[in-house]
Amino acid sequence: MALAHHAQGRTDLSIPLLIQIVRSQNPTTPLGRQAHEQLVRFGFVQPTGDFAQIIPEATPTLLSFEGGQNLIREAEAAVNAGDYNQAQNKFQQARQVFNQLSNFHQQLSETFSGIDREVAQDQRQKALDSAQLRDQTTYQLALVHRAQNQPELSVPLLIQIVRSQNPTNGLGERAFQQLVELGFAD
């Protein structure tokens, strides 16, 4: 099914299926290795070890850093045009993409832990990077809700950011400041 989705140009649907195979079969079994190889070919996993010579395809997929960043650019353009409904939609989509990426990369990191240190570390870093982008996108979405005078939608998002980030610096601090401005926190 994963290969059929890819053949139809829906690599974004293939990736979760391949990750499921790698996790359930273990990347050292023949089927797990095949799924891992496809993830390398799709550019989701860095080419290393036995797969070091594989050159990833330039497969456009929504389920990628580039796909999420494209959604952010579209959302920012909508904000600049004053189309907050479109911005909200695009930020929500980007947030979902980065959340899925973070979860999938974390799952692969755990799967490869003790099997291939380089892949495990690469996937862990990608999970962290994805989570950071998710939180930045969540912050932008909260600001759009504020601009639409919908604090009831902003507050839960800001709390998620404060929980995910350190509330004493950077993005976590800015999210907490938004909560203070909204009168939710002191």
Short mmCIF file of all heavy atoms in Angstrom, two decimals, residues 4-58:
data_model
loop_
_atom_site.label_atom_id
_atom_site.label_comp_id
_atom_site.label_asym_id
_atom_site.label_seq_id
_atom_site.Cartn_x
_atom_site.Cartn_y
_atom_site.Cartn_z
N ALA A 4 2.07 1.86 -3.42
CA ALA A 4 0.96 2.30 -4.28
C ALA A 4 0.68 3.79 -4.06
O ALA A 4 0.47 4.52 -5.03
CB ALA A 4 -0.29 1.48 -3.99
N HIS A 5 0.70 4.23 -2.80
CA HIS A 5 0.50 5.65 -2.52
C HIS A 5 1.60 6.48 -3.19
O HIS A 5 1.33 7.52 -3.79
CB HIS A 5 0.50 5.93 -1.02
CG HIS A 5 -0.76 5.55 -0.32
ND1 HIS A 5 -2.00 5.94 -0.74
CD2 HIS A 5 -0.96 4.81 0.80
CE1 HIS A 5 -2.93 5.46 0.08
NE2 HIS A 5 -2.31 4.76 1.02
N HIS A 6 2.83 6.00 -3.10
CA HIS A 6 3.96 6.72 -3.70
C HIS A 6 3.78 6.79 -5.22
O HIS A 6 4.01 7.84 -5.82
CB HIS A 6 5.28 6.05 -3.33
CG HIS A 6 6.46 6.69 -4.00
ND1 HIS A 6 6.85 7.97 -3.72
CD2 HIS A 6 7.32 6.22 -4.93
CE1 HIS A 6 7.92 8.27 -4.46
NE2 HIS A 6 8.20 7.22 -5.20
N ALA A 7 3.37 5.69 -5.84
CA ALA A 7 3.18 5.66 -7.29
C ALA A 7 2.08 6.64 -7.72
O ALA A 7 2.12 7.15 -8.84
CB ALA A 7 2.82 4.25 -7.74
N GLN A 8 1.15 6.92 -6.82
CA GLN A 8 0.07 7.87 -7.12
C GLN A 8 0.45 9.30 -6.75
O GLN A 8 -0.38 10.19 -6.79
CB GLN A 8 -1.20 7.48 -6.36
CG GLN A 8 -1.77 6.16 -6.78
CD GLN A 8 -2.89 5.69 -5.86
OE1 GLN A 8 -3.09 6.23 -4.78
NE2 GLN A 8 -3.60 4.67 -6.30
N GLY A 9 1.74 9.49 -6.38
CA GLY A 9 2.19 10.82 -6.02
C GLY A 9 1.82 11.25 -4.62
O GLY A 9 1.84 12.42 -4.28
N ARG A 10 1.46 10.31 -3.76
CA ARG A 10 1.04 10.60 -2.38
C ARG A 10 2.05 10.03 -1.39
O ARG A 10 1.71 9.27 -0.50
CB ARG A 10 -0.35 10.03 -2.12
CG ARG A 10 -1.47 10.66 -2.92
CD ARG A 10 -1.63 12.17 -2.69
NE ARG A 10 -1.57 12.62 -1.32
CZ ARG A 10 -2.61 12.86 -0.56
NH1 ARG A 10 -3.82 12.70 -1.03
NH2 ARG A 10 -2.46 13.27 0.68
N THR A 11 3.29 10.45 -1.55
CA THR A 11 4.34 9.97 -0.65
C THR A 11 4.03 10.32 0.80
O THR A 11 4.41 9.59 1.71
CB THR A 11 5.70 10.56 -1.08
OG1 THR A 11 5.93 10.20 -2.45
CG2 THR A 11 6.84 10.03 -0.23
N ASP A 12 3.31 11.43 1.01
CA ASP A 12 2.95 11.81 2.38
C ASP A 12 2.09 10.75 3.06
O ASP A 12 2.08 10.63 4.28
CB ASP A 12 2.25 13.17 2.40
CG ASP A 12 1.05 13.25 1.47
OD1 ASP A 12 1.13 12.73 0.35
OD2 ASP A 12 0.04 13.85 1.87
N LEU A 13 1.37 9.94 2.27
CA LEU A 13 0.61 8.83 2.84
C LEU A 13 1.46 7.57 3.00
O LEU A 13 1.16 6.71 3.82
CB LEU A 13 -0.62 8.52 1.97
CG LEU A 13 -1.64 9.63 1.83
CD1 LEU A 13 -2.76 9.22 0.87
CD2 LEU A 13 -2.21 10.02 3.18
N SER A 14 2.53 7.47 2.21
CA SER A 14 3.43 6.32 2.29
C SER A 14 4.28 6.32 3.55
O SER A 14 4.52 5.28 4.15
CB SER A 14 4.38 6.28 1.08
OG SER A 14 3.68 6.14 -0.11
N ILE A 15 4.76 7.50 3.91
CA ILE A 15 5.72 7.61 5.01
C ILE A 15 5.20 7.02 6.32
O ILE A 15 5.89 6.21 6.94
CB ILE A 15 6.19 9.07 5.16
CG1 ILE A 15 7.05 9.44 3.94
CG2 ILE A 15 6.97 9.29 6.46
CD1 ILE A 15 7.40 10.90 3.82
N PRO A 16 3.99 7.36 6.78
CA PRO A 16 3.52 6.76 8.04
C PRO A 16 3.42 5.23 7.97
O PRO A 16 3.71 4.54 8.94
CB PRO A 16 2.14 7.38 8.26
CG PRO A 16 2.13 8.62 7.44
CD PRO A 16 3.04 8.37 6.28
N LEU A 17 3.03 4.71 6.81
CA LEU A 17 2.93 3.26 6.65
C LEU A 17 4.31 2.61 6.73
O LEU A 17 4.48 1.56 7.37
CB LEU A 17 2.26 2.91 5.32
CG LEU A 17 0.81 3.39 5.16
CD1 LEU A 17 0.32 3.15 3.74
CD2 LEU A 17 -0.10 2.74 6.18
N LEU A 18 5.30 3.22 6.10
CA LEU A 18 6.66 2.67 6.15
C LEU A 18 7.23 2.74 7.56
O LEU A 18 7.91 1.80 7.99
CB LEU A 18 7.55 3.42 5.16
CG LEU A 18 7.20 3.21 3.68
CD1 LEU A 18 7.93 4.20 2.81
CD2 LEU A 18 7.49 1.78 3.25
N ILE A 19 6.95 3.80 8.27
CA ILE A 19 7.42 3.91 9.66
C ILE A 19 6.78 2.82 10.50
O ILE A 19 7.45 2.18 11.32
CB ILE A 19 7.12 5.31 10.22
CG1 ILE A 19 8.00 6.34 9.53
CG2 ILE A 19 7.31 5.35 11.74
CD1 ILE A 19 7.63 7.77 9.81
N GLN A 20 5.52 2.57 10.28
CA GLN A 20 4.83 1.50 11.01
C GLN A 20 5.50 0.16 10.74
O GLN A 20 5.67 -0.65 11.66
CB GLN A 20 3.36 1.48 10.60
CG GLN A 20 2.53 0.48 11.35
CD GLN A 20 1.07 0.53 10.90
OE1 GLN A 20 0.73 1.10 9.87
NE2 GLN A 20 0.21 -0.08 11.70
N ILE A 21 5.88 -0.10 9.50
CA ILE A 21 6.54 -1.36 9.16
C ILE A 21 7.90 -1.46 9.84
O ILE A 21 8.23 -2.49 10.43
CB ILE A 21 6.70 -1.51 7.63
CG1 ILE A 21 5.32 -1.64 6.97
CG2 ILE A 21 7.59 -2.70 7.27
CD1 ILE A 21 5.35 -1.47 5.45
N VAL A 22 8.68 -0.37 9.78
CA VAL A 22 10.01 -0.38 10.43
C VAL A 22 9.87 -0.65 11.92
O VAL A 22 10.63 -1.43 12.49
CB VAL A 22 10.76 0.94 10.17
CG1 VAL A 22 12.02 1.04 11.02
CG2 VAL A 22 11.11 1.09 8.70
N ARG A 23 8.89 -0.03 12.54
CA ARG A 23 8.70 -0.20 13.99
C ARG A 23 8.22 -1.60 14.34
O ARG A 23 8.68 -2.19 15.31
CB ARG A 23 7.71 0.83 14.53
CG ARG A 23 8.29 2.24 14.45
CD ARG A 23 7.44 3.24 15.15
NE ARG A 23 7.62 3.03 16.59
CZ ARG A 23 6.69 3.27 17.49
NH1 ARG A 23 5.51 3.69 17.12
NH2 ARG A 23 6.92 3.06 18.75
N SER A 24 7.29 -2.14 13.55
CA SER A 24 6.73 -3.45 13.90
C SER A 24 7.64 -4.60 13.49
O SER A 24 7.69 -5.62 14.17
CB SER A 24 5.35 -3.63 13.28
OG SER A 24 5.43 -3.79 11.88
N GLN A 25 8.37 -4.45 12.40
CA GLN A 25 9.21 -5.54 11.90
C GLN A 25 10.65 -5.47 12.38
O GLN A 25 11.38 -6.44 12.24
CB GLN A 25 9.20 -5.54 10.36
CG GLN A 25 7.86 -5.85 9.77
CD GLN A 25 7.40 -7.24 10.12
OE1 GLN A 25 8.13 -8.21 9.95
NE2 GLN A 25 6.18 -7.34 10.63
N ASN A 26 11.07 -4.31 12.87
CA ASN A 26 12.45 -4.07 13.27
C ASN A 26 13.26 -3.81 12.00
O ASN A 26 13.14 -4.53 11.02
CB ASN A 26 13.02 -5.25 14.06
CG ASN A 26 14.32 -4.92 14.74
OD1 ASN A 26 15.20 -4.31 14.14
ND2 ASN A 26 14.45 -5.30 15.99
N PRO A 27 14.12 -2.81 12.02
CA PRO A 27 14.87 -2.46 10.82
C PRO A 27 15.94 -3.48 10.42
O PRO A 27 16.59 -3.33 9.40
CB PRO A 27 15.51 -1.11 11.16
CG PRO A 27 15.45 -0.99 12.62
CD PRO A 27 14.32 -1.85 13.10
N THR A 28 16.10 -4.55 11.21
CA THR A 28 17.09 -5.57 10.86
C THR A 28 16.48 -6.75 10.11
O THR A 28 17.21 -7.59 9.60
CB THR A 28 17.79 -6.09 12.13
OG1 THR A 28 16.81 -6.66 13.00
CG2 THR A 28 18.53 -4.97 12.84
N THR A 29 15.15 -6.82 10.01
CA THR A 29 14.50 -7.89 9.26
C THR A 29 14.41 -7.48 7.79
O THR A 29 14.47 -6.29 7.47
CB THR A 29 13.08 -8.18 9.79
OG1 THR A 29 12.26 -7.03 9.53
CG2 THR A 29 13.09 -8.51 11.28
N PRO A 30 14.22 -8.43 6.88
CA PRO A 30 14.13 -8.06 5.46
C PRO A 30 13.04 -7.03 5.16
O PRO A 30 13.29 -6.05 4.45
CB PRO A 30 13.85 -9.40 4.76
CG PRO A 30 14.48 -10.42 5.66
CD PRO A 30 14.26 -9.89 7.05
N LEU A 31 11.85 -7.23 5.69
CA LEU A 31 10.77 -6.28 5.42
C LEU A 31 11.05 -4.92 6.07
O LEU A 31 10.81 -3.86 5.47
CB LEU A 31 9.43 -6.83 5.91
CG LEU A 31 8.19 -6.00 5.57
CD1 LEU A 31 8.08 -5.77 4.06
CD2 LEU A 31 6.94 -6.68 6.11
N GLY A 32 11.58 -4.93 7.28
CA GLY A 32 11.95 -3.69 7.95
C GLY A 32 13.04 -2.94 7.20
O GLY A 32 13.00 -1.72 7.08
N ARG A 33 14.01 -3.68 6.66
CA ARG A 33 15.09 -3.05 5.86
C ARG A 33 14.53 -2.44 4.58
O ARG A 33 14.94 -1.35 4.18
CB ARG A 33 16.18 -4.07 5.52
CG ARG A 33 17.09 -4.41 6.70
CD ARG A 33 18.19 -5.40 6.31
NE ARG A 33 19.00 -4.98 5.18
CZ ARG A 33 19.97 -4.05 5.22
NH1 ARG A 33 20.22 -3.43 6.35
NH2 ARG A 33 20.67 -3.76 4.15
N GLN A 34 13.59 -3.14 3.95
CA GLN A 34 12.98 -2.60 2.72
C GLN A 34 12.24 -1.30 3.02
O GLN A 34 12.34 -0.33 2.25
CB GLN A 34 12.01 -3.61 2.11
CG GLN A 34 12.68 -4.76 1.41
CD GLN A 34 11.64 -5.74 0.87
OE1 GLN A 34 10.64 -6.03 1.54
NE2 GLN A 34 11.89 -6.26 -0.32
N ALA A 35 11.50 -1.28 4.11
CA ALA A 35 10.76 -0.07 4.48
C ALA A 35 11.73 1.06 4.81
O ALA A 35 11.53 2.20 4.40
CB ALA A 35 9.84 -0.36 5.66
N HIS A 36 12.81 0.73 5.54
CA HIS A 36 13.83 1.72 5.88
C HIS A 36 14.47 2.27 4.60
O HIS A 36 14.65 3.49 4.46
CB HIS A 36 14.87 1.10 6.80
CG HIS A 36 16.00 2.01 7.15
ND1 HIS A 36 17.26 1.55 7.40
CD2 HIS A 36 16.07 3.35 7.30
CE1 HIS A 36 18.06 2.56 7.67
NE2 HIS A 36 17.36 3.66 7.63
N GLU A 37 14.77 1.40 3.67
CA GLU A 37 15.36 1.84 2.40
C GLU A 37 14.43 2.81 1.67
O GLU A 37 14.87 3.81 1.11
CB GLU A 37 15.67 0.64 1.51
CG GLU A 37 16.32 1.01 0.20
CD GLU A 37 16.65 -0.17 -0.68
OE1 GLU A 37 16.53 -1.34 -0.23
OE2 GLU A 37 17.03 0.07 -1.84
N GLN A 38 13.14 2.52 1.67
CA GLN A 38 12.18 3.42 1.02
C GLN A 38 12.15 4.78 1.72
O GLN A 38 12.07 5.82 1.07
CB GLN A 38 10.77 2.81 0.98
CG GLN A 38 10.61 1.69 -0.02
CD GLN A 38 10.95 2.13 -1.44
OE1 GLN A 38 10.59 3.22 -1.87
NE2 GLN A 38 11.66 1.29 -2.15
N LEU A 39 12.23 4.79 3.05
CA LEU A 39 12.27 6.05 3.78
C LEU A 39 13.51 6.86 3.40
O LEU A 39 13.45 8.09 3.30
CB LEU A 39 12.23 5.81 5.29
CG LEU A 39 10.90 5.33 5.84
CD1 LEU A 39 11.05 4.88 7.29
CD2 LEU A 39 9.83 6.41 5.71
N VAL A 40 14.63 6.17 3.16
CA VAL A 40 15.84 6.85 2.68
C VAL A 40 15.60 7.40 1.28
O VAL A 40 15.90 8.55 0.99
CB VAL A 40 17.06 5.90 2.71
CG1 VAL A 40 18.26 6.54 2.03
CG2 VAL A 40 17.40 5.48 4.14
N ARG A 41 15.03 6.59 0.41
CA ARG A 41 14.75 7.03 -0.98
C ARG A 41 13.82 8.24 -1.01
O ARG A 41 13.96 9.11 -1.85
CB ARG A 41 14.16 5.89 -1.79
CG ARG A 41 15.14 4.80 -2.12
CD ARG A 41 14.59 3.81 -3.13
NE ARG A 41 15.45 2.66 -3.25
CZ ARG A 41 16.65 2.66 -3.83
NH1 ARG A 41 17.11 3.76 -4.35
NH2 ARG A 41 17.37 1.56 -3.89
N PHE A 42 12.87 8.28 -0.08
CA PHE A 42 11.92 9.39 -0.03
C PHE A 42 12.51 10.61 0.64
O PHE A 42 11.87 11.65 0.72
CB PHE A 42 10.63 8.98 0.69
CG PHE A 42 9.85 7.90 -0.01
CD1 PHE A 42 8.89 7.20 0.69
CD2 PHE A 42 10.06 7.57 -1.34
CE1 PHE A 42 8.15 6.20 0.08
CE2 PHE A 42 9.33 6.57 -1.97
CZ PHE A 42 8.37 5.89 -1.25
N GLY A 43 13.73 10.49 1.19
CA GLY A 43 14.39 11.61 1.84
C GLY A 43 13.95 11.85 3.27
O GLY A 43 14.27 12.87 3.87
N PHE A 44 13.22 10.91 3.85
CA PHE A 44 12.73 11.07 5.23
C PHE A 44 13.80 10.67 6.24
O PHE A 44 13.82 11.18 7.35
CB PHE A 44 11.47 10.24 5.43
CG PHE A 44 10.68 10.64 6.64
CD1 PHE A 44 9.84 11.74 6.59
CD2 PHE A 44 10.76 9.93 7.82
CE1 PHE A 44 9.11 12.14 7.70
CE2 PHE A 44 10.04 10.31 8.94
CZ PHE A 44 9.21 11.42 8.87
N VAL A 45 14.68 9.75 5.84
CA VAL A 45 15.77 9.27 6.68
C VAL A 45 17.08 9.52 5.94
O VAL A 45 17.16 9.31 4.73
CB VAL A 45 15.61 7.76 7.00
CG1 VAL A 45 16.78 7.23 7.80
CG2 VAL A 45 14.31 7.51 7.73
N GLN A 46 18.09 9.97 6.66
CA GLN A 46 19.39 10.26 6.09
C GLN A 46 20.06 8.98 5.56
O GLN A 46 20.03 7.95 6.23
CB GLN A 46 20.27 10.89 7.17
CG GLN A 46 21.66 11.23 6.73
CD GLN A 46 22.46 11.84 7.87
OE1 GLN A 46 21.92 12.31 8.85
NE2 GLN A 46 23.77 11.81 7.73
N PRO A 47 20.66 9.03 4.36
CA PRO A 47 21.37 7.85 3.84
C PRO A 47 22.63 7.58 4.66
O PRO A 47 23.52 8.40 4.71
CB PRO A 47 21.74 8.24 2.41
CG PRO A 47 21.07 9.53 2.12
CD PRO A 47 20.66 10.13 3.42
N THR A 48 22.67 6.43 5.35
CA THR A 48 23.83 6.03 6.13
C THR A 48 24.01 4.53 6.02
O THR A 48 23.13 3.83 5.53
CB THR A 48 23.66 6.38 7.64
OG1 THR A 48 22.52 5.69 8.13
CG2 THR A 48 23.51 7.87 7.86
N GLY A 49 25.12 4.05 6.55
CA GLY A 49 25.36 2.61 6.60
C GLY A 49 25.20 1.94 5.26
O GLY A 49 25.76 2.39 4.26
N ASP A 50 24.42 0.86 5.23
CA ASP A 50 24.19 0.11 3.99
C ASP A 50 23.50 0.95 2.92
O ASP A 50 23.56 0.64 1.74
CB ASP A 50 23.32 -1.12 4.26
CG ASP A 50 24.02 -2.14 5.14
OD1 ASP A 50 25.26 -2.05 5.29
OD2 ASP A 50 23.33 -3.00 5.70
N PHE A 51 22.83 2.01 3.35
CA PHE A 51 22.08 2.85 2.41
C PHE A 51 22.79 4.16 2.11
O PHE A 51 22.19 5.09 1.56
CB PHE A 51 20.68 3.14 2.98
CG PHE A 51 19.91 1.90 3.33
CD1 PHE A 51 19.41 1.73 4.60
CD2 PHE A 51 19.67 0.91 2.39
CE1 PHE A 51 18.68 0.60 4.93
CE2 PHE A 51 18.95 -0.23 2.71
CZ PHE A 51 18.46 -0.38 3.99
N ALA A 52 24.08 4.25 2.44
CA ALA A 52 24.83 5.50 2.29
C ALA A 52 24.92 5.95 0.83
O ALA A 52 25.04 7.14 0.56
CB ALA A 52 26.23 5.35 2.88
N GLN A 53 24.86 5.02 -0.11
CA GLN A 53 25.01 5.37 -1.53
C GLN A 53 23.69 5.78 -2.19
O GLN A 53 23.68 6.18 -3.34
CB GLN A 53 25.63 4.20 -2.29
CG GLN A 53 26.98 3.77 -1.75
CD GLN A 53 27.98 4.92 -1.69
OE1 GLN A 53 28.10 5.69 -2.62
NE2 GLN A 53 28.66 5.06 -0.56
N ILE A 54 22.59 5.66 -1.46
CA ILE A 54 21.29 6.01 -2.05
C ILE A 54 21.15 7.52 -2.11
O ILE A 54 21.41 8.22 -1.14
CB ILE A 54 20.13 5.40 -1.22
CG1 ILE A 54 20.16 3.88 -1.31
CG2 ILE A 54 18.78 5.95 -1.68
CD1 ILE A 54 19.13 3.19 -0.47
N ILE A 55 20.75 8.00 -3.25
CA ILE A 55 20.46 9.42 -3.41
C ILE A 55 18.95 9.59 -3.32
O ILE A 55 18.21 9.04 -4.14
CB ILE A 55 20.98 9.95 -4.76
CG1 ILE A 55 22.50 9.78 -4.81
CG2 ILE A 55 20.56 11.40 -4.97
CD1 ILE A 55 23.11 10.09 -6.14
N PRO A 56 18.48 10.31 -2.30
CA PRO A 56 17.03 10.47 -2.14
C PRO A 56 16.39 11.13 -3.36
O PRO A 56 16.99 11.98 -4.00
CB PRO A 56 16.90 11.37 -0.90
CG PRO A 56 18.19 11.20 -0.16
CD PRO A 56 19.23 10.95 -1.23
N GLU A 57 15.17 10.69 -3.64
CA GLU A 57 14.39 11.27 -4.72
C GLU A 57 13.99 12.68 -4.33
O GLU A 57 13.87 13.00 -3.16
CB GLU A 57 13.10 10.47 -4.95
CG GLU A 57 13.30 9.03 -5.30
CD GLU A 57 11.98 8.26 -5.30
OE1 GLU A 57 10.91 8.86 -5.14
OE2 GLU A 57 12.05 7.03 -5.47
N ALA A 58 13.76 13.50 -5.30
CA ALA A 58 13.23 14.83 -5.03
C ALA A 58 11.70 14.73 -5.07
O ALA A 58 11.05 15.22 -5.97
CB ALA A 58 13.73 15.82 -6.06
#
